Amino acid sequence: MTAPAPPPAAITLLLPDGQELRVRLYERLQMDTGLWVFRIGVPLWQTTEGGGVEPAEYGTWVTSAQLRPIPGVALDQVPTHRNPAGRAAATATPWVWVLDGRARPTTVHAEGCPLATDRAVPVKTMDALDALGQPGTVACTGCDAAETLLPILAHGQEDAHAPGD
């Protein structure tokens, strides 16, 4: 029997337009590059099949630039997954991704992938992850995109709770 996951911590999410939302912080993950990303849940409402509404949560990964601690809220119980021992962040090769929207479905490729078209545009890792969270976007399986990015998106999903749990 495994121990239950600690409850998420409250933290403030800064939106691009300057709004601030209180969200749930589930875990912290240090990437091979040394960058820290944080899995959060944003509470919201969703429409039900019968036309009503019910509580829901949108999950995503963000960097520390999008978060602010809430005074008095301890973050020491948030699960933290550090860069594997022995891997030097300073020597890590940064990944470069390209978003190829010319073909259907829209596809995220590693830079240099021969399957990407000449119209693919470079994007940062977080932008690639955000794109993969959108319906109709896939990660290329002919390069490192699927093998590298999809586990990040899936990380922690086995701990997700369905409404009413």
Side-chain angles (χ1 to χ4, degrees):
M1 184 179 258
T2 60
I11 197 161
T12 300
L13 173 67
L14 305 174
L15 298 179
D17 65 359
Q19 293 182 70
E20 296 182 1
L21 296 176
R22 185 172 287 204
V23 299
R24 297 175 180 110
L25 174 60
Y26 286 96
E27 65 184 314
R28 301 176 269 211
L29 172 67
Q30 185 180 32
M31 310 281 285
D32 289 344
T33 62
L35 174 72
W36 283 93
V37 292
F38 304 81
R39 185 170 63 93
I40 63 167
V42 181
L44 48 85
W45 296 99
Q46 70 181 6
T47 306
T48 63
E49 286 186 30
V53 293
E54 65 185 10
E57 185 173 89
Y58 170 75
T60 191
W61 290 88
V62 296
T63 66
S64 61
Q66 289 86 39
L67 297 175
R68 295 293 177 268
I70 297 172
V73 175
L75 302 178
D76 57 341
Q77 295 300 312
V78 174
T80 301
H81 311 282
R82 296 189 185 278
N83 187 19
R87 296 190 74 175
T91 61
T93 302
W95 289 100
V96 178
W97 309 104
V98 294
L99 187 59
D100 193 349
R102 183 174 181 195
R104 291 289 176 243
T106 299
T107 306
V108 175
H109 299 273
E111 184 178 56
C113 177
L115 300 175
T117 70
D118 59 348
R119 293 191 180 173
V121 295
V123 294
K124 297 177 182 176
T125 298
M126 292 308 294
D127 295 327
L129 290 168
D130 286 343
L132 286 169
Q134 300 300 313
T137 303
V138 298
C140 178
T141 56
C143 64
D144 290 336
E147 185 178 345
T148 303
L149 296 172
L150 295 181
I152 296 170
L153 289 176
H155 187 76
Q157 294 301 312
E158 64 276 2
D159 297 332
H161 297 285
D165 277 358

